[in-house]
Amino acid sequence: MPFHLRCGPDDAPHCRFAVSPLWETRSAVRALDRPGPPGARLPWLRRIQVAASGLNLAPLSLLTPARGCGPRFLAPRPADPYTRIEDELARVRATDPAAARAELERALAATPGAAVSLRGRRMLEDPGRAVKELADLLELAWRALIEPDWPPLHALLEADAAFHARRLSGGGPEGLFAELHPDVSWSDGTLTVAHAEPPEHGTDGAEGAEGTEETDRAGGADGTGGTAGTAGPGLLLVPSVFCRPGPAAGAGVPWDRALVYPARGLGGLWESASGEQPPEVLSRLLGRGRAAVLTALEEPASTTGLARRLGLAPSSVSAHLSALRDAGLLTSHRYGHQVLYERTPLGIALAAG
């Protein structure tokens, strides 16, 4: 069912982008539990089979119902593009046991028999211990499933945020949401997600996705009054590698006024580019190193990210990038602490032959 978020006139220009390593971890766990049809994540699933086999993810799986929401305290709202996993896990571990029990009870009730199972009963009897054990398990999952690939993952997410931030700056909310995702649209101050699931890792039919949710600046999820969330005016946009094909939209605390969406460039993420060869004619024209760099920039990337992907020294990649930029084939933009490079129209045409 569609999700509608009514925004004030000042909301869209104040969009914020954030990255959540804990969101990626929880989504990766769900991808292992319910992999769905083969797709862009298939190479990743093959790569982490051995690491995943050493994890007992059953407690997290029990709290990820097929229809319904998982505990909200396991998915804190990210603060900024540089959110650290340590900070997110600390927020999980600081959850009040009474609040955790209510969330655990709600999540377990969404799966028939989960609340009366041995594991479910133990969680409800001692929610404080459950919070600690779940946080420890999420940390183990992070170390095994996400951390080894986090530098390129984070670089891709930052590049996506930078790309869409420029779309917002140059074309306003219409320009931003026109290419964010096919299910997402913007019209007359209203953000619409045609098929949305809630950010608490539920699926269609879960709270926040069933029916039509509407939020305005003066009201809550049902427009009955109060403050809509804790993040102030504007929208929080979270690019994700492991987000399902459709975006996730939130109207309730802590994910009110937030949208998680699939990041750009996922198709080639898990494929090593070190063995890819640029077209021979392009190599003769530019030199093999510069041709490799230009070919690899299908998505914006940093010097470090390109060097890691191509298996080249950062100093060599930096020199190639400078030469390509001076020739008008690349442009660069500072985003946070990184400088990201992307191809100009001329560079796109040349790389495409």
Side-chain angles (χ1 to χ4, degrees), residues 10-16 168 233-236:
D10 296 329
D11 279 342
H14 290 87
C15 289
R16 295 187 304 111
L168 176 65
L235 300 172
L236 177 67

Side-chain angles (χ1 to χ4, degrees), residues 19-87:
V19 172
S20 172
L22 185 55
W23 167 275
E24 299 304 318
T25 302
R26 287 208 64 209
S27 297
V29 170
R30 187 177 68 170
L32 286 173
D33 193 40
R34 301 184 180 94
R41 291 192 298 239
L42 186 58
W44 172 79
L45 290 169
R46 290 171 175 163
R47 288 173 58 187
I48 53 85
Q49 280 183 346
V50 174
S53 65
L55 296 173
N56 178 15
L57 301 175
L60 291 174
S61 299
L62 191 67
L63 295 170
T64 310
R67 299 181 67 83
C69 294
R72 291 186 174 92
F73 70 85
L74 293 180
R77 184 188 185 97
D80 54 53
Y82 315 110
T83 302
R84 302 187 312 156
I85 185 68
E86 295 81 5
D87 296 333

Side-chain angles (χ1 to χ4, degrees), residues 151-175:
L153 292 182
H154 195 211
L156 182 142
L157 296 173
E158 283 190 324
D160 178 274
F163 173 85
H164 288 297
R166 291 196 301 276
R167 295 282 300 177
L168 176 65
S169 176
E174 292 82 3

Side-chain angles (χ1 to χ4, degrees), residues 307-339:
R308 185 183 299 110
R309 182 181 176 194
L310 295 171
L312 298 175
S315 58
S316 298
V317 172
S318 179
H320 294 324
L321 288 168
S322 295
L324 292 168
R325 183 179 57 187
D326 291 344
L329 302 179
L330 300 181
T331 184
S332 61
H333 306 272
R334 178 165 292 279
Y335 182 71
H337 65 287
Q338 286 189 328
V339 175

Side-chain angles (χ1 to χ4, degrees), residues 34 56 62 111-112 131 135 137 142-143 149 180 195 281 309:
R34 301 184 180 94
N56 178 15
L62 191 67
T111 300
V131 168
L137 183 54
W142 156 260
R143 303 295 178 200
D149 293 308
L180 196 72
H195 305 284
V281 64
R309 182 181 176 194

Side-chain angles (χ1 to χ4, degrees), residues 149-237:
D149 293 308
W150 185 240
L153 292 182
H154 195 211
L156 182 142
L157 296 173
E158 283 190 324
D160 178 274
F163 173 85
H164 288 297
R166 291 196 301 276
R167 295 282 300 177
L168 176 65
S169 176
E174 292 82 3
L176 167 65
F177 294 114
E179 292 191 6
L180 196 72
H181 189 276
D183 285 347
V184 177
S185 61
W186 174 270
S187 177
D188 297 327
T190 297
L191 175 68
T192 298
V193 184
H195 305 284
E197 60 178 273
E200 295 84 18
H201 294 270
T203 57
D204 291 343
E207 180 182 348
E210 185 173 8
T212 300
E213 295 290 341
E214 295 185 347
T215 302
D216 55 34
R217 292 195 60 179
D222 55 2
T224 56
T227 302
T230 58
L235 300 172
L236 177 67
L237 300 172

